[in-house]
């Protein structure tokens, strides 16, 4: 659907259009990387300064089909969105809304049950050790939530938001992972590299042989080098969009 047609059909859905296109790109690539879970899991992006207004994907839409126009604009304090036929599931709305409200700096929240991050979350001690470039990227940048009580049960949003602090990765014990970022490009790059880090770590653990864990100094230096690496995140996201523009440009619709 062209943007002009879309405007007539949906009115305010052309607001925040750049954020919508970026978020749709993140959904398409998460499906390509096989990190999605059926038609569940949610990504969201805050569009107000206090984080309370946020865009989130509608219920039942496959990640590989998500389009920019489809995101629901909702408010963390307004549960009436749950009365819409395309509303997200209540636990996802409560969790994303609760974190956006409590951590306004987390503009983007990506939540998946990807294979290797979830495998790590299933370990009694889920600490990701610094054993390669990708694991060192997240050295001292992961918060661990070990209080799983069931899907959306208990004080999940409050508990998880309190843990997040300034860390970009929340490993949800017995559950999956949440990535918190300042924009879609950064959050998606972190999601990609975190899954790669977990894949390497779980594969190394599976050998049963002793891990070569590096020192604090080496891990901390390498983590800082990742932060200072010029244009890596921007170039990654630009390349991802260029590929979609050639192969499935309807993510922009
Ligand atoms: Zn989940």
């Amino acid at each position: 659907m062209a943007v002009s047609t879309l405007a007539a059909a949906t009115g305010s859905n052309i607001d925040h259009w750049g954020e919508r296109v970026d978020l749709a790109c993140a959904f398409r690539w998460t499906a390509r990387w096989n990190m999605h879970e059926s038609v569940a899991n949610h990504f969201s992006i805050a569009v107000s300064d206090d984080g309370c207004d946020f865009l989130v994907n509608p219920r039942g839409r496959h990640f590989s089909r998500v389009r920019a126009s489809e995101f629901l604009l909702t408010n963390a304090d307004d549960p009436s969105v749950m009365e819409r036929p395309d509303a997200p599931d209540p636990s996802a709305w409560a969790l994303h809304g609760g974190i956006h409200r409590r951590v306004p700096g987390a503009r983007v929240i990506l939540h998946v049950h990807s294979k290797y991050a979830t495998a790590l979350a299933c370990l009694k001690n889920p600490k990701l050790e610094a054993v390669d470039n990708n694991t060192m990227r997240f050295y001292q940048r992961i918060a661990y939530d070990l209080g799983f009580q069931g899907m959306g049960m208990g004080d999940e949003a409050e508990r998880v938001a309190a843990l997040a602090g300034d860390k970009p990765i929340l490993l949800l014990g017995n559950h999956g992972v949440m990535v918190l970022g300042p924009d879609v490009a950064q959050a998606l790059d972190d999601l990609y590299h975190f899954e790669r880090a977990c894949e390497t770590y779980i594969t190394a653990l599976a050998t049963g042989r002793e891990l070569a864990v590096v020192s604090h100094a080496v891990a901390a230096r390498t983590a800082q080098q990742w932060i200072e690496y010029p244009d890596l995140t921007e170039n990654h996201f630009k390349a991802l969009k260029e590929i979609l523009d050639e192969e499935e440009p309807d993510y922009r619709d």
Side-chain angles (χ1 to χ4, degrees), residues 41 111 113 175:
N41 287 169
H111 170 54
H113 307 158
H175 184 176

Side-chain angles (χ1 to χ4, degrees), residues 19-252:
E19 291 95 326
R20 286 173 174 273
V21 170
D22 286 355
L23 199 58
C25 174
F27 276 98
R28 297 291 181 105
W29 275 100
T30 302
R32 285 180 172 222
W33 293 330
N34 197 28
M35 293 192 208
H36 59 301
E37 181 86 293
S38 174
V39 291
N41 287 169
H42 288 73
F43 292 175
S44 59
I45 181 167
V47 293
S48 62
D49 289 344
D50 64 1
C52 287
D53 294 321
F54 65 98
L55 298 166
V56 64
N57 48 310
R59 188 195 328 236
R61 190 70 163 142
H62 196 274
F63 275 30
S64 67
R65 295 288 180 266
V66 168
R67 298 169 186 241
S69 60
E70 297 175 342
F71 299 116
L72 307 174
L73 178 60
T74 184
N75 183 283
D77 297 319
D78 177 14
S80 69
V81 67
M82 300 315 305
E83 295 164 13
R84 293 173 54 157
D86 55 354
D89 63 76
S91 63
W93 177 80
L95 183 56
H96 283 246
I99 295 174
H100 279 304
R101 185 198 297 118
R102 292 176 176 87
V103 191
R107 306 303 292 173
V108 174
I109 301 174
L110 311 180
H111 170 54
V112 293
H113 307 158
S114 51
K115 179 178 178 179
Y116 291 99
T118 304
L120 182 65
C122 292
L123 301 181
K124 189 167 185 177
N125 174 4
K127 183 187 177 192
L128 182 68
E129 298 287 0
V131 291
D132 81 328
N133 268 320
N134 288 339
T135 50
M136 285 179 240
R137 168 173 170 140
F138 299 102
Y139 184 66
Q140 296 183 326
R141 301 181 71 216
I142 306 168
Y144 297 88
D145 172 44
L146 304 180
F148 184 73
Q149 298 171 41
M151 289 191 283
M153 300 295 290
D155 58 353
E156 191 176 29
E158 187 176 346
R159 186 183 73 239
V160 169
L163 277 172
D166 60 353
K167 293 190 168 34
I169 304 292
L170 276 164
L171 192 73
L172 308 176
N174 307 106
H175 184 176
V177 64
M178 258 183 166
V179 179
L180 281 53
D183 53 43
V184 176
Q186 183 66 54
L188 190 64
D189 197 49
D190 274 341
L191 175 64
Y192 170 84
H193 283 98
F194 187 70
E195 181 68 6
R196 294 281 291 175
C198 292
E199 180 176 3
T200 298
Y201 182 60
I202 294 293
T203 304
L205 278 180
T207 68
R209 294 169 63 180
E210 189 173 1
L211 297 174
V213 178
V214 303
S215 68
H216 162 75
V218 171
R221 183 185 314 128
T222 308
Q224 187 61 32
Q225 288 172 324
W226 272 107
I227 291 170
E228 296 168 357
Y229 201 101
D231 302 327
L232 182 65
T233 295
E234 294 80 0
N235 287 340
H236 186 195
F237 197 58
K238 180 168 174 279
L240 296 179
K241 288 172 92 171
E242 286 173 354
I243 293 168
L244 291 186
D245 286 339
E246 286 182 19
E247 299 180 359
E248 44 181 311
D250 63 347
Y251 78 101
R252 290 181 175 272

